[in-house]
Structure formats: C-alpha cells, structure tokens
Amino acid sequence: MRFRMRSDQDFADEIGAHLDLETDRLIATGMAPAEARAAALRAFGNRTAVRERFHEARGRVLLEQLLQDLRYARRALRRTPGFALVAILCLGIGISVNTAAFSFLNAFMFRDFPGVVRQDELVSIQIGQETRWGRMSPAQVSTVEWGLLSEGLPAFSGIAASHILPLSVATGGEPQAVRGALVSANYFDLLGTVPAAGRFMRAADDPGDLAGVVVLSHAWWTRHFAARPDVVGQVLTIGTHPFTVVGVAPEGFFGLYPGEMIDPDVGAAEFFLPLAAAPLLRPASPSTEPATGLDDRWLQVIGRLRPGATLAEAEGQASAIAAQLAATWPVERPGAFAEIRTGNNRSRDAAELLTAMLFVMVVPAVILLVACANLANQLLARAIQRSREIAVRLSLGATRARVVRQLLVETALLAVLAGGLGVVLARWLLDALRAWALALPSRVPIDLRVLGFTLGLALLTALAFGLVPALRATRTDLAHALKEGAPGSGYRRSRLRSALVVVQIAASLALIAVSTVFVTAAQAPPSRAREALADRAILVALNLDLVGFDAATGSDYQDRVLERLAALPGVVAAGRAPFAMFDMLGGHPMTRAGQDPGDPDFNDLAPVSGDWFGATATTALRGRLFSPAERTGPPAVAVVDEVLASEMWGEADPLGQALRLGPDSAATLVTVIGVVPARQEVAYRQPEGVVFIPGDLEYRPRTFFYVRTACDAEAMVATVRQAVAGVDPRVPILWARTLEQVEAKEMSPLTLTASGLASLGVVALALAALGLFGVLSFIVAQRRHEIGVRVALGATRLDVTWMVVRQAVGLGAGGVVLGAALALAAVTLMRAVIHGLQPLDLPIFGAMSAAMVIVALVASALPARRAASVDPMATLRAE
Amino acid sequence: MSTQDGNRERLALLQGTLDLLILRILLLRREHGQGIARAIQDRSEDVILVEHGSLYPALQRLEAQRLIQAEWGVSENGRRARYYQLTPRGRKAVAAEASRWRAMTAAIGRVLGPALAEG
C-alpha cells in the first residue's frame, strides 16, 4: 500500500507544511508572527501523539513494542539474576537433550550424508527372484546383472555399484584389518562427492591400469599422513598388492549405507578401490555355479534419476531387464523381477531407525517436561512476587493483553537464552557421545534445521508454560494486590504449584526406576557357566580372506593356530567357531526324521572345532559332548541346546534322534548325542534353538578362536596374540579380547541406555528438588502471617517445623505414588519390546522411593527453618 | 478532542464523523490538511473544532482505505503542501455515508422531539 511507503520525514514535512500554512493564515488576519506560530501549534494539538499514531498505523508499532518488551524483560531479568540463571539452566538442560536427540534424527533422516548431494534423487536397484520360500529380493546383484543394469537404464543419469569388504593393510610392520569398499569408477561422480585432495577414479579410466589405485578416507589420511597433500602418489600394500593413492574422500564420507560402511569393530571404510581390483582383493566365492557367476551376488547398485524421468519409467526399464534375465537363465533367476527402492538410501530399515529414534525422543521429552514444570513453577512464584508491579501497570492503564504479552516476551527471552545454552550443551553432548559411546564417522552436525527445531521448541515451551502463569498474574484484584501483604490468594495458586512439583518428582523417579531395570539387565549373569568364565576366557577374531587364503591353506592355517593355542602354557582348553560368543548365527534349514525335506525348520547351526565346549565351559545336561575322534572328519553327530530339543521333539527324548542339515536328501545327516543348556545369549535377545556340530560343513574364512585360561585372562591376551601372529605374521588380527570385554561391548546398548537414563533421572531429580524447595519457600512466605499467629497462640518451633516438613513429605509421597504408576507402565511397555528385562525390583524401587522422600526432606530443611524463625511480634505488628 | 480556544462552546466530534467531513470537503476540491481543517471550521461556523493534529491519522486511514489519494503540490501562497483528492471509490463512499448520516440525524431528531431539539 502506498501510505506504507511514506517515511517519517515525509510525514514530518506534511505537518511542518500544515503549521506554516496555518501561521501564514493567522498572520494574514493581523496576528504577530510569533503569536500566530504559537496559535497554530496550539490548534494542531499534540504532535507526538499524532506521530505515534502514524507509526502505529504503519505496523511498525508491533516491532517497537516487542523491542520495548524485550528491553523491559531484560531489565526485569537482570533485577533477579538468580531466578534468570536457574530458569535458563533448567530449561537449557531440558532443551539440550532434545536438541541432541533431534540432531541424530536430522543427520540420519533429513540431511544429505557427508559428501553426498541431492540424496533424494538416489535409489537402490535390486533384482529379485522366485525361491523355494517365495519372492526374495536380495540387496546385491551379480556381475551379470550389473552389466545389464549399467547399460539398460536410460531413465538414470548414472548407475554405480559398490561392494564393502574387509581389507588388510600393512602399516609399520604389523598387518591391520580395515574396512574398504570396491566402487565402480563413476561412484563418486554419481554421489556428487568432491575429493578433499587429489582426485577420484573416473569413468574414463576404468579399464586396465585403474586396478592399482586407491582413494583414502579423510580419517586415514589424517591419521597416517597428517593430512599432507603429497599423499597422492604414495603406494600402500593392501592385502598382498601395491596400490597407488590418487585422492582422499571428504571428511566423514561413508557412502550411503551407514550400517554397512561403519563396522563396530574396525570403524568406517578407510579405502575406496575400483571394482577392477576385485580379483586382487576378493577371494573367489565358493559358488556352486561358477560359470555364470549368477550365484555370487556381491554388488550393491544405486542410481540417480535423470531430471524429468519418473520412477515408473525407471521401473519399466528395470523390469524389462529382469524379464530378459528370467528368459535367459530360467534356472538361476526364475521369475526374476526388479525392485527400485527410494527411501533416499538413508538406512536399510528406515522405519526401524525412526522407531528407535522416536523411542529415544521420549526420554528427552520427559526431561523437558520436568524442566518446563520447574519453569512454570518459578514463573508462578515470580508472578506472586511481582503482583504489585503488575497491579500498578494495570492500574496505570496498560491493557491486560499488553501485560500478558510483556510477561510472555519475558518468558520467551528466557527460553531463547536457554535454547542457546541448549545448543551449546547439545554440541558438547554429541561430541562426548561420539568420543565415548558411539562409532560415528563424523560429528553429528548441528545445522539450521536443528537450530530451527531448538528455537521452535524453546518458543513453544515459553508459550505453553508461560501462558498460564502470565494469565494468572494479570488476573489480580487490583485494589487487593495494591494493599500490603494480601494473604489468602496464594493458596489457590500453590495447589497448581504443588501439582507441578508432584509431577516432577514422579517423572524423575520413573526415569531412575526404569534405568535400574536396564542396569539389572546389563549386569545379570545369564548363566552359571558364563560366571565361571568371567575372567578366564579370550576370543581372537580373524578373517582369512584378508590375506587371500584359499580353502585348503585356510583350513590348514586354522588347524595350526588351534594346535598352537591349545599347547600354550596356562591354556585349559582351546576351540574355534565361525561366530563370536554373542553373534547371531542365522537360520540353517534342517529336518528331523519323517519331516518333509521341502518344508524344513530353520535353526541356528553352530559348527565348533577343537574343544570349543571346554573353552566356553559348557557342560552337557544330558548325553555327552563330542569325543576327540568325532571332532575330525565330516560331522556325523550333533549336540543340541535345550531350546531346540523342546522345539524339535517336545517331550520326546532328543538323544539318538537324527537331523538332516540341509534342504535335500544329499545333505549331511547327524545323530543327536547330547543336550546343553540354552546358548549363553545376551539378555535383550530371545534365546534360539542351536544345533552344534563338530568341525564344519564348509570352509569359512571368518573365524574366532576361543581360549580358556587357568589364570587371569587379561594377562594372557598378549601371549595369545603372539602365538597367533607366530603361526603366520601376514594374517591381521581383527581383535583379541577377554570374554568380559566382548560381553561389555555386546551389552553396551543396555549399559548405555541404563547410564543415560540414570543420569537424566538424576538431572530430573535435581530439578524436582529445586522445584520442591521453591514451592515450600513460597508457601512459608505466604503463610508467614498465619505462622506468626500460631506461634503467638502457643505453637512451638517444633510444631511449625513439622508443619512445613509434613507438606514436603506429602508432596514427596504424592510424587512417589504417581512415579510408581509411571514406572510400572513404562517398564511393562519396555518389557514388551525388549526381551530379557526383569520387572521392577520392588526392594530397589522402595529404596529409591525412600531416597525421594529424603530428597524432599532436604529440600524442606531451609524453608522449615525459616518458618521456625518467624517472629510472631514482627509479623503481627506488620498488619 | 475539545480545546479551550475562544469563549464559544464548541462541540467535540463524534467518532467516525471526521472521516465523513473530510470526504465532504474533498468532494468540492483537492485540498491539503490545513485547508481541510480550516474548511471544516469555517463551514460549521466555528461550532465544530477539529484539533488539527487529529486530522492526519484520519487522512492516513482514508488513504489506506483507498478512498483518497495524495500528492505533493504548491499552495496559493507558494508553500509546499500535500494535497488530497477523492478517488472514484471515495466519491461513491461519500454519497453513501452522507445519506446514512442524514437518516441518522433525522432519526435522532425525532427521538429527541421538537422541544428538546430546539433547546
């Protein structure tokens, strides 16, 4: 609108012109110039008021009022720095936890991953087929399909493939196991990644000479080359071959699949090598169909949709390729079909991740709620203290809306400051988590979206928890409030405040109670056998693919290591298995006598070599374990655990039963000779039926050696390492850990949850105690007069103290009752989701409840003393 | 909105009336703020006194409603002044408002009755 464009100056000019014209006119009627000027001014009236109305009309007024409110708020907060500090700290802590949690969500769900541009355009392309068990669509394709896909999908501006694999690299004499990725030459181009140094492989230089190049991760570059740019051209020995460094990936880059690229043991991928290097680094798969290579599904295929191309188009083209596959290879690819997965390649199971994150967001929300209850409580108390000031403002003509707005601006200012603090704390929290608890390739970023979330959250809390106090504060009976003292009105208010305190105590108690459930689960020894092993066992992890052993040399090497370990002084028993203590094994098809081979059961198959049962201190419940003679040659006997025994044969005797390990009649047949206790599982996982067989059905390059020691295992780790390295120094040891360490690592989700919940619970408890203290102090101040009268009428100090303490205990007890209900509900819910959690331990819960009440008592100490020291004469005289 | 200028008793302006008066003046000619104030005073034979300052928020309001528009010009005695004039919309509005006003004053007159109306 035109009038909005007018400047202050233009308006002032108009008023000036008006005054001049009027003065002129008055002079023309015969007035003296000075007198005429004065008369003109008088006739005009209040110029400031006019200018103000001009501003107001221009809409600038809101902003100015806001600024004025802000200035006023700043002054008001400065007058009470204690209140401001406590409020900002409480709310800041509450917000920081939420900001940190949201930052995770943001990093994995909303943001493009490090080094990836326009991630939303990226899709993964899969080729599925009919199988015995229905339509299956594995994430990887074979070389054959990769060839067809990379040629036949014009709807994509590019198709790239990658393969994650373990690698061994020689660094300073000792071989080191790292994670690497084989990528097609256009991989980085397709993702839009920019190198931190040097260059990436290029589509143009794919054939031949490209095989010998490597791109380093930023982390490796920093760690081993001090981020020097002259790293380009250096030669590294990876596996057994030399590779020339051509470039460095950007910081934090991990491709598209965090779950695969980041290994919990060895970290994120450090080397990116061309697909052409696959024959040098990747052992030939023991494929049953080597001629076509169709059984070897190893490549993960991603594509970027061409601008303007639709998903339907892309799906049509991919389906045509699938049809072609099905026609050419009806045996290997029956009913082949194509599947294009959008979901931004964020996570394999985005839904699961989201659920987990939302689960994670619940606790921060509780903390924020406690912090907000605290803030509301403080605001209510503050409103009482300021009732006179507010009454004065209202009586001087400020509208209620204006005063409410003023109070809200004050709360919002607090909240925004708290949000700032929250961001700083969240940054610290995220870095601390990354340093101590979680394997993340890069810092979890705090970007504009996170800042926006934090600001929004802060303002929302300010509005939600500042509005009621503000409305209450302005609902004052003016005449009443302006008078000194004004007792009585406080009771109604303190009821709300008491309720808030009860909620705070309840929430913090519930948090701590839930955390104890996790602590119990994390510490519970699942079996007596494990207890016996606690500090008497060592696990060593190897992957023989890293050094390119074939089945014969690999098996031979495994046997030699096992022999060497068994012969070590101080070793009681040594065994070997293709799984670590708590690994999930994956189902293997098996049938019992009389069962249709076409409809097998799937159960865990645990091939164990050497004296594995001895090394893990496993004893037979019934029957016997493998004899040394049975441990050599193809497996003919089996030991099952009690879970499988009851699943397979129910009440019948499992001993002597036959099991066929495979889908067809040619598969190995074994006889059950013993039953062992359920596999020592991690608390939060459901135990599953296991079949143990001596030796193995096939050669497996990934292998774990189990050593049981006579004395402290930790002291033996170095010896065991040496012994393994002594057999063949080229083989890198992935890790060698005591069983305790392995267990701690496996339990870390539980312990992390437990310690997280517990520390948040303590924070919440501190907030609650502060809130309780505030309410009690306030009540004492409000009842000062009443207390004075009581003392004057003969109440002793003890009576008065008891009065306050009783109130504290009452609030504490209310909190405990509500908290118990909350905790019970939460634990019931979590037990439904997480296996192995015990119900709430009543003695522990009782002790915690008592502790809560004690906290309430401590919080009441000072207010009670203050009440006891009320001088009856002074209060009565003040009337 | 009354002042103590002069001895004659003057009437405070009813809210909303000022807008109508301004529009009525501008129906005759384009005019600047001071001229409008003067015209209102003259035509009401000095009965209605407009505090000149209060004119400007009203002018601004009318301008925002697009009933009038303004531009800088030069007065008869050579001073720079901001001249207002009616827009076509303003012209329509003044007719409608004026007839409403007349209807209302007539109604008020009838309620008060002849005796009081004279007093």
Side-chain angles (χ1 to χ4, degrees):
Chain A
M1 250 178 273
R2 223 157 63 106
F3 82 103
R4 281 186 190 281
M5 311 284 277
R6 288 186 71 186
S7 65
D8 284 359
Q9 191 53 50
D10 190 76
F11 191 67
D13 285 348
E14 185 176 13
I15 291 173
H18 176 109
L19 293 172
D20 290 343
L21 284 163
E22 181 70 4
T23 310
D24 286 350
R25 190 190 67 84
L26 290 171
I27 291 172
T29 61
M31 250 186 227
E35 208 186 328
R37 184 77 191 169
L41 282 172
R42 208 161 46 239
F44 192 85
N46 188 343
R47 265 177 303 163
T48 318
V50 172
R51 205 166 293 146
E52 260 167 21
R53 288 180 66 183
F54 172 68
H55 284 178
E56 205 156 332
R58 284 209 329 187
R60 189 185 291 180
V61 65
L62 265 176
L63 186 68
E64 277 180 4
Q65 281 185 359
L66 185 70
L67 284 176
Q68 190 192 341
D69 285 348
L70 275 174
R71 274 194 299 272
Y72 188 87
R74 200 187 61 192
R75 277 205 306 276
L77 292 180
R78 273 201 175 164
R79 269 202 305 276
T80 49
F83 159 77
L85 233 105
V86 171
I88 291 171
L89 201 66
C90 288
L91 200 54
I93 290 170
I95 289 176
S96 73
V97 186
N98 286 271
T99 301
F102 182 78
S103 299
F104 272 110
L105 248 165
N106 178 46
F108 288 103
M109 305 305 293
F110 303 131
R111 261 178 81 92
D112 285 347
F113 289 161
V116 180
V117 298
R118 300 195 309 282
Q119 198 170 335
D120 296 335
E121 294 172 4
L122 295 170
V123 298
S124 53
I125 304 161
Q126 302 179 0
I127 297 289
Q129 69 188 73
E130 291 292 344
T131 70
R132 199 194 303 261
W133 304 284
R135 278 155 70 92
M136 299 247 186
S137 176
Q140 283 92 6
V141 301
S142 71
T143 313
V144 175
E145 282 134 342
W146 160 237
L148 290 172
L149 289 171
S150 58
E151 299 295 318
L153 295 176
F156 291 88
S157 60
I159 313 275
S162 62
H163 172 75
I164 312 293
L165 79 174
L167 295 172
S168 162
V169 61
T171 49
E174 210 173 292
Q176 193 182 343
V178 298
R179 187 153 271 231
L182 297 174
V183 297
S184 60
N186 62 343
Y187 179 76
F188 288 106
D189 284 346
L190 185 77
L191 294 185
T193 314
V194 180
R199 65 171 180 91
F200 293 140
M201 311 111 193
R202 295 192 197 108
D205 45 32
D206 210 340
D209 58 313
L210 192 100
V213 302
V214 59
V215 169
L216 302 182
S217 76
H218 194 278
W220 188 274
W221 183 44
T222 314
R223 212 165 335 116
H224 293 271
F225 295 96
R228 287 196 314 269
D230 65 359
V231 66
V232 173
Q234 300 260 359
V235 175
L236 291 176
T237 304
I238 299 171
T240 48
H241 300 272
F243 286 87
T244 309
V245 176
V246 291
V248 178
E251 194 171 0
F253 178 83
F254 57 79
L256 284 183
Y257 304 100
E260 287 184 0
M261 281 284 199
I262 305 160
D263 184 289
D265 288 328
V266 294
E270 305 281 13
F271 300 127
F272 301 89
L273 300 130
L275 282 187
L280 304 177
L281 298 168
R282 199 172 159 263
S285 120
S287 167
T288 51
E289 223 293 295
T292 60
L294 278 164
D295 273 3
D296 185 16
R297 286 175 172 270
W298 64 296
L299 289 169
Q300 195 132 36
V301 179
I302 53 168
R304 190 185 284 279
L305 277 176
R306 192 180 288 287
T310 63
L311 201 60
E313 237 174 282
E315 272 166 349
Q317 292 164 4
S319 294
I321 291 176
Q324 186 188 337
L325 276 164
T328 320
W329 287 285
V331 180
E332 293 84 357
R333 288 288 184 272
F337 62 97
E339 202 172 299
I340 292 187
R341 298 212 170 178
T342 49
N344 308 335
N345 285 302
R346 299 235 182 253
S347 156
R348 265 308 165 63
D349 30 21
E352 194 178 303
L353 187 65
L354 187 66
T355 319
M357 290 312 287
L358 286 181
F359 193 64
V360 165
M361 287 296 279
V362 170
V363 174
V366 171
I367 298 287
L368 185 62
L369 210 68
V370 171
C372 284
N374 212 318
L375 178 71
N377 229 330
Q378 292 180 59
L379 287 172
L380 283 170
R382 189 172 160 79
I384 308 293
Q385 284 159 11
R386 291 171 69 180
S387 58
R388 271 170 62 82
E389 173 204 331
I390 290 164
V392 166
R393 296 192 66 196
L394 286 173
S395 64
L396 286 183
T399 61
R400 188 174 172 205
R402 186 85 171 77
V403 176
V404 167
R405 197 170 70 193
Q406 161 62 42
L407 291 173
L408 279 181
V409 164
E410 207 173 300
T411 314
L413 180 64
L414 273 179
V416 169
L417 289 173
L421 178 68
V423 169
V424 173
L425 287 179
R427 177 73 273 162
W428 180 82
L429 196 66
L430 288 172
D431 288 345
L433 272 176
R434 184 175 169 226
W436 293 321
L438 305 169
L440 297 171
S442 59
R443 287 178 104 195
V444 176
I446 288 188
D447 58 8
L448 278 178
R449 199 183 282 112
V450 174
L451 292 180
F453 168 82
T454 307
L455 184 69
L457 194 66
L459 291 179
L460 196 73
T461 53
L463 194 68
F465 290 84
L467 194 61
V468 171
L471 287 177
R472 289 211 159 187
T474 51
R475 205 170 57 196
T476 332
D477 172 5
L478 287 186
H480 196 64
L482 283 171
K483 275 185 284 175
E484 188 64 51
S489 61
Y491 283 118
R492 188 170 38 86
R493 290 192 176 119
S494 63
R495 206 174 307 144
L496 177 61
R497 302 198 54 198
S498 302
L500 285 171
V501 165
V502 167
V503 169
Q504 288 181 60
I505 295 176
S508 49
L509 178 64
L511 273 180
I512 295 177
V514 170
S515 76
T516 63
V517 172
F518 281 91
V519 172
T520 320
Q523 288 177 344
S527 73
R528 257 170 291 135
R530 176 100 66 82
E531 216 162 2
L533 274 179
D535 55 353
R536 292 283 186 275
I538 298 171
L539 264 74
V540 183
L542 300 181
N543 184 344
L544 303 180
D545 273 352
L546 296 181
V547 280
F549 286 169
D550 60 15
T553 45
S555 305
D556 178 56
Y557 171 82
Q558 287 169 348
D559 290 347
R560 279 190 293 142
V561 172
L562 192 55
E563 245 171 71
R564 181 83 161 252
L565 289 175
L568 269 186
V571 169
V572 178
R576 182 176 70 77
F579 55 88
M581 196 69 172
F582 308 105
D583 281 359
M584 283 188 275
L585 300 174
H588 189 91
M590 51 187 74
T591 49
R592 56 182 175 270
Q595 189 176 359
D596 173 16
D599 180 29
D601 283 359
F602 283 83
N603 285 300
D604 289 353
L605 182 69
V608 295
S609 307
D611 190 6
W612 186 86
F613 288 115
T616 55
T618 311
T619 49
L621 287 174
R622 308 181 51 197
R624 61 179 180 83
L625 301 174
F626 305 135
S627 71
E630 283 162 344
R631 289 186 210 148
T632 53
V637 290
V639 167
V640 298
D641 74 345
E642 46 188 347
V643 180
L644 185 112
S646 74
E647 270 174 14
M648 272 281 192
W649 298 286
E651 295 295 299
D653 188 357
L655 296 184
Q657 300 276 6
L659 264 181
R660 196 173 286 286
L661 304 176
D664 48 48
S665 55
T668 311
L669 192 70
V670 292
T671 312
V672 176
I673 58 164
V675 179
V676 291
R679 185 168 170 243
Q680 297 161 358
E681 267 288 1
V682 190
Y684 56 87
R685 264 191 242 135
Q686 186 91 37
E688 305 210 21
V690 187
V691 175
F692 296 90
I693 53 167
D696 207 338
L697 300 173
E698 59 183 340
Y699 162 71
R700 293 181 216 239
R702 233 173 114 71
T703 192
F704 299 84
F705 291 95
Y706 291 67
V707 176
R708 191 169 151 209
T709 58
C711 49
D712 184 34
E714 207 159 340
M716 285 285 288
V717 172
T719 320
V720 167
R721 258 180 174 280
Q722 254 169 23
V724 174
V727 176
D728 188 334
R730 287 174 303 166
V731 180
I733 294 173
L734 292 181
W735 47 261
R737 297 182 183 130
T738 65
L739 185 60
E740 256 179 338
Q741 290 165 339
V742 175
E743 195 175 336
K745 211 166 169 62
E746 199 62 30
M747 288 296 185
S748 67
L750 277 187
T751 43
L752 202 66
T753 313
S755 51
L757 283 176
S759 38
L760 290 176
V762 169
V763 169
L765 179 60
L767 291 176
L770 222 85
L772 183 61
F773 171 76
V775 167
L776 290 174
S777 304
F778 168 75
I779 290 174
V780 168
Q782 288 287 304
R783 293 174 72 178
R784 207 177 176 78
H785 172 73
E786 180 206 328
I787 292 169
V789 172
R790 279 177 186 235
V791 173
L793 292 179
T796 62
R797 282 180 163 233
L798 195 67
D799 292 335
V800 174
T801 309
W802 175 233
M803 189 180 83
V804 176
V805 168
R806 205 171 45 206
Q807 199 135 21
V809 173
L811 290 176
V816 165
V817 170
L818 187 61
L822 277 178
L824 272 178
V827 170
T828 311
L829 191 75
M830 268 183 271
R831 288 189 69 202
V833 181
I834 303 166
H835 171 79
L837 288 185
Q838 298 298 309
L840 214 51
D841 186 336
L842 285 182
I844 293 182
F845 186 76
M848 280 189 309
S849 305
M852 278 301 154
V853 175
I854 289 171
V855 168
L857 284 176
V858 171
S860 73
L862 202 63
R865 268 188 58 189
R866 219 178 280 153
S869 65
V870 165
D871 177 0
M873 289 321 289
T875 39
L876 292 180
R877 219 176 284 132
E879 271 304 279
Chain B
M1 228 162 271
S2 67
T3 67
Q4 294 81 46
D5 187 29
N7 303 323
R8 294 172 63 178
E9 191 186 330
R10 280 155 171 179
L11 296 176
L13 221 47
L14 277 170
Q15 201 159 14
T17 328
L18 185 57
D19 291 11
L20 180 57
L21 295 182
I22 291 170
L23 293 175
R24 181 69 186 81
I25 302 295
L26 290 179
L27 199 56
L28 306 173
R29 58 175 187 274
R30 63 196 281 273
E31 190 55 278
H32 48 70
Q34 186 264 347
I36 297 170
R38 189 42 56 200
I40 290 173
Q41 223 153 325
D42 289 344
R43 286 171 68 94
S44 74
E45 293 159 5
D46 272 347
V47 172
I48 297 173
L49 179 83
V50 179
E51 192 176 82
H52 295 186
S54 66
L55 210 56
Y56 287 95
L59 284 169
Q60 203 185 346
R61 194 164 52 238
L62 292 172
E63 209 181 337
Q65 292 165 2
R66 308 236 165 133
L67 297 178
I68 59 175
Q69 59 192 35
E71 61 188 354
W72 285 93
V74 178
S75 72
E76 301 98 325
N77 57 352
R79 286 206 183 269
R80 227 168 77 84
R82 200 160 185 264
Y83 277 91
Y84 294 89
Q85 65 183 63
L86 285 181
T87 61
R89 239 177 100 174
R91 239 163 249 289
K92 263 182 246 160
V94 74
E97 279 296 303
S99 64
R100 250 188 51 192
W101 178 259
R102 286 204 194 89
M104 198 169 86
T105 45
I108 291 173
R110 280 196 296 280
V111 172
L112 293 177
L116 277 171
E118 274 163 25

